[in-house]
């Protein structure tokens, strides 16, 4: 695992600037750093390395191809690179190998096969920048599911890219204008969806895509269009049209276990210590069980617990670990331990990010790093196999709403929404208001977006904040259940779940891997008939059958809690002073990003105990905390406060 950054343009002293950039993302690669320049072309590439495969100098980056034409920086891991080497050797395209790093393999692939075929051959997680010295072009690429981050764009006439936004801060002129549309999206989702970033003119590369930047693009400050080499949406739709057939339920479980075991085995490849997160839930327990089945030694597993029983899953993780025979480590954290993380979040997440499970995620990654350098996680099971409880609630609500003709539905929705402004108090307002919003939607995506929105109308909260077009607005194939899983896979998963884990883990130089998001597992899951994902009101049905082969059903069958913290109580208690300092009415008015009154009204209702607005307020608070860091980091440059 590593960090990459580069500048192409007329900026002088790029090497000095990128040396500062590397210092800012040294947590992503504390083992070494490297720099490569083409002074004639005006491009400089830099890399910080966390050595996982081939710990020798043969794995050092930036890496020049054996033919001398290409220069590569890569963040991530390509799990099937040995198979790719074998293909290259059989075809007579292999160079004289200098080491056994996946970076060298991928570079040889680009030399022999070109960009698109090489990307299609890879199984892994990565963000790549490839300089072609012959064509004078720069190619950026990102893995299929979006596990590894990659930002890009223009600043001061220079084309720039980086693994994290903080690496771009040393570049003169960077970040002078914030993106109001991105802030509006943050209020709706509590994360900033791709391709937006918090900065105007800087974008996230879409998962499963690549783009090529030419000299003409740089000279004209044009951002080229990205090209998809793999599409989660298209693969899901193709799976809906080509359902698999199984002789029996047991046969289906055999097939799923085989494809998952292959993914797990590939991701256990490492030249350094390796373990796994274990919550005791279906997904992480399945991954650990399949790891242990392929390991001759006890797998290292990690869990954190809370003394508040409502939020504690450590006892379940311990029971699963004992049954599987893993080398298990658990840490019970206090409220003070968790609250101590809060001041670090704005810097850790680099742009405003407001999934409060970022707090326990930070704690468990910090603990795991004390013992291992690589950790596997169970993320992705809910999106692929229909596990979220909200899927069932939305399915039921959609069925009820569809009973009414569209004009009647819209009228009822308007009346219910209006009723929430009547005098009085009570939690009923939120539920009635939400139902009113849902009744006025007509398509699966719009319906689901309203259901998962935090601020349902961000334009009322963010001054001048107009949301850009959203993936939720497109027409989607399949049932409402299918639509939700597809939308989460291309929005919530890469822009929330994977961001949360990547930044928390890399902050402590821990590499995380997600076997369920192997694209072969994803494609298999979408070919499954629906009844193998959901039976009755039970999600992840087939995944459970695989797990029950390794762990007794009684140990893992229980309501899903999620990785939650008692945020509502904290905001009324130990975090109240911190929150009130960020929500001072005068500050909100002077900064000019938010309309103060809707926010302050929810704050008053929350601290009074009449409502739980913690998730909505957390988005505003994370934006405000990030602004403090932003202004502190932009000393000497133009102040963007309005």
């Amino acid at each position: 695992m590593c960090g990459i950054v580069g500048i192409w343009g007329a900026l002088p002293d790029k090497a000095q600037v990128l040396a500062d950039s590397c210092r800012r993302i040294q947590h992503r690669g504390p083992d070494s750093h490297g720099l490569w320049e083409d002074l004639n072309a005006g491009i400089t590439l830099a890399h910080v390395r966390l050595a996982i495969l081939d710990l020798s100098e043969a794995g050092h980056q930036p890496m020049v191809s054996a033919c001398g034409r290409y220069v590569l920086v890569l963040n991530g891991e390509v799990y099937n690179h040995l198979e790719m080497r074998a293909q290259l050797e059989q075809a007579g395209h292999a160079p004289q190998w200098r080491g056994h790093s996946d970076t060298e393999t991928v570079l040889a692939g680009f030399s022999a096969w070109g960009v698109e075929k090489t990307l299609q051959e890879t199984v892994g997680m990565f963000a790549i920048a490839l300089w072609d010295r012959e064509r004078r072009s720069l190619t950026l690429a990102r893995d299929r599911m979006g596990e590894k981050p990659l930002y890009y764009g223009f600043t001061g006439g220079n084309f720039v890219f980086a693994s994290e936004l903080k690496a771009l801060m040393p570049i003169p002129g960077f970040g002078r204008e914030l993106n109001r549309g991105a802030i509006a999206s943050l209020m709706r989702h509590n994360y900033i969806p791709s391709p937006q970033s918090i900065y105007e003119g800087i974008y996230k590369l879409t998962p499963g895509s690549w783009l090529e930047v030419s000299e003409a693009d740089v000279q004209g400050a044009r951002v080229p269009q990205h090209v998809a080499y793999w599409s989660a949406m298209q693969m899901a739709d193709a799976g809906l049209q080509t359902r698999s057939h199984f002789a029996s339920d047991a046969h289906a479980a055999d097939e799923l276990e085989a494809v998952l075991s292959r993914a797990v085995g590939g991701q256990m490849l490492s030249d350094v210590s390796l373990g796994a997160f274990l919550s005791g839930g279906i997904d992480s327990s399945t991954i650990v069980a399949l790891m242990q089945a392929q390991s001759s030694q006890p797998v290292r597993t990690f869990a954190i617990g809370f003394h508040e029983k409502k939020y504690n899953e450590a006892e379940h993780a311990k029971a699963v670990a004992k049954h599987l025979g893993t080398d298990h480590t658990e840490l019970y954290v206090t409220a003070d331990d968790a609250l101590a993380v809060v001041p670090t979040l704005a810097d850790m997440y680099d742009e405003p990010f407001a999934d409060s499970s970022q707090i326990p995620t930070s704690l468990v990654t910090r603990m795991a790093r004390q013992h291992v350098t690589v950790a596997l996680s169970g993320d992705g099971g809910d999106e692929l196999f229909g596990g979220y409880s909200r899927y069932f609630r939305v399915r039921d609500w959609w069925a009820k709403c569809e009973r009414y003709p569209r004009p009647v539905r819209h009228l009822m929705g308007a009346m219910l929404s209006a009723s929430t402004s009547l005098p009085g108090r009570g939690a009923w307002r939120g539920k009635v208001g939400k139902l009113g919003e849902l009744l006025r939607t007509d398509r699966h995506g719009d319906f689901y977006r309203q259901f998962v929105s935090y601020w349902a109308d961000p334009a009322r909260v963010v001054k001048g904040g107009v949301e850009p077009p959203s993936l939720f607005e497109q027409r989607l194939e399949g049932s409402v259940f299918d639509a939700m899983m597809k939308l989460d896979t291309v929005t919530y998963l890469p822009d929330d779940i994977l961001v949360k884990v990547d930044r928390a883990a890399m902050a402590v130089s821990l590499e995380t891997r997600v076997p369920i998001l192997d694209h072969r597992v994803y494609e298999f899951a979408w070919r499954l008939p629906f009844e193998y994902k959901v039976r009755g009101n039970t999600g992840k049905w087939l995944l459970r059958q695989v797990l029950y082969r390794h762990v007794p059903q009684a140990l893992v069958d229980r309501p899903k809690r999620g990785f939650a913290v008692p945020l509502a109580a904290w905001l009324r208690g130990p975090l109240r002073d911190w929150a009130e300092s960020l929500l001072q009415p005068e500050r909100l008015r002077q900064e000019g990003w938010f309309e103060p009154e809707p926010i302050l009204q929810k704050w008053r209702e929350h601290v009074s105990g009449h409502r739980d607005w913690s998730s909505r307020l957390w988005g505003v608070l994370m934006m405000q905390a990030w602004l403090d860091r932003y202004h502190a980091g932009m000393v000497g440059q133009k102040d963007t406060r309005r």
Side-chain angles (χ1 to χ4, degrees), residues 44-340:
T44 305
L45 309 177
H47 182 267
V48 293
R49 185 184 185 203
L50 176 64
I52 303 295
L53 295 176
D54 194 344
L55 309 186
S56 73
E57 281 297 308
H60 185 74
Q61 299 183 47
M63 187 179 290
V64 181
S65 64
C67 64
R69 175 176 173 178
Y70 299 102
V71 185
L72 176 67
V73 286
L74 181 152
N75 164 31
E77 302 292 344
V78 176
Y79 307 120
N80 70 327
H81 84 98
L82 295 178
E83 290 90 338
M84 291 173 65
R85 284 195 175 204
Q87 290 180 50
L88 290 164
E89 290 165 356
Q90 290 168 7
H93 295 315
Q96 184 68 40
W97 301 112
R98 293 165 283 182
H100 63 274
S101 76
D102 53 348
T103 303
E104 186 180 6
T105 306
V106 172
L107 193 50
F110 286 134
S111 299
W113 299 328
V115 171
E116 188 150 13
K117 176 175 170 55
T118 301
L119 294 174
Q120 290 172 345
E121 290 291 332
T122 58
V123 177
M125 56 174 187
F126 51 81
I128 285 172
L130 177 74
W131 173 246
D132 185 333
R133 302 169 81 175
E134 182 178 302
R135 296 185 61 207
R136 289 202 177 198
S137 65
L138 177 70
T139 297
L140 303 182
R142 193 174 178 202
D143 65 73
R144 292 172 176 85
M145 303 302 290
E147 291 184 57
K148 293 295 103 187
L150 187 55
Y151 295 90
Y152 69 96
F154 281 92
T155 184
N158 299 281
F159 184 81
V160 300
F161 67 87
S163 296
E164 294 186 21
L165 289 168
K166 61 173 65 71
L168 303 177
M169 293 295 287
I171 300 173
F174 173 76
R176 288 185 173 176
E177 188 174 357
L178 302 189
N179 182 347
R180 288 184 181 271
I183 300 172
S185 294
L186 174 71
M187 292 300 98
R188 182 180 294 281
H189 300 289
N190 274 1
Y191 61 82
I192 296 176
S194 299
Q196 303 175 81
S197 85
I198 189 61
Y199 298 112
E200 285 285 357
I202 302 295
Y203 308 95
K204 302 181 183 90
L205 185 59
T206 303
S209 71
W210 61 283
L211 60 82
E212 184 178 17
V213 187
S214 68
E215 276 192 304
D217 291 327
V218 175
Q219 292 165 1
R222 293 191 302 267
V223 176
Q225 289 292 315
H226 65 266
V227 178
Y229 66 90
W230 189 89
S231 165
M233 280 286 197
Q234 290 179 8
M235 289 299 110
D237 288 341
L240 291 174
Q241 301 302 317
T242 55
R243 296 292 199 185
S244 299
H245 299 282
F246 303 102
S248 64
D249 289 349
H251 178 220
D254 289 341
E255 292 294 312
L256 175 56
E257 183 163 6
V259 71
L260 259 180
S261 294
R262 182 184 181 192
V264 168
Q267 297 195 23
M268 292 174 69
L269 181 67
S270 174
D271 291 336
V272 295
S273 53
L274 176 142
F277 303 131
L278 179 61
S279 69
I282 301 299
D283 304 336
S284 66
S285 297
T286 302
I287 296 304
V288 170
L290 296 179
M291 290 177 71
Q292 193 59 70
Q294 299 180 63
S295 176
S296 59
Q297 301 293 326
V299 171
R300 295 298 307 267
T301 54
F302 305 94
I304 63 168
F306 293 94
H307 295 290
E308 298 93 334
K309 192 170 182 64
K310 179 181 177 182
Y311 298 94
N312 184 42
E313 290 194 321
E315 58 201 34
H316 305 295
K318 185 175 182 178
V320 172
K322 182 178 180 180
H323 177 82
L324 292 173
T326 71
D327 182 359
H328 190 61
T329 302
E330 64 180 12
L331 173 68
Y332 273 78
V333 297
T334 66
D336 288 342
D337 295 327
L339 294 170

Side-chain angles (χ1 to χ4, degrees), residues 74 337 355 397 426 450 567 587 613-614 622:
L74 181 152
D337 295 327
D355 181 337
W397 281 43
Q450 288 302 114
L567 184 62
R587 171 179 173 167
W613 294 120
S614 56
M622 285 293 97

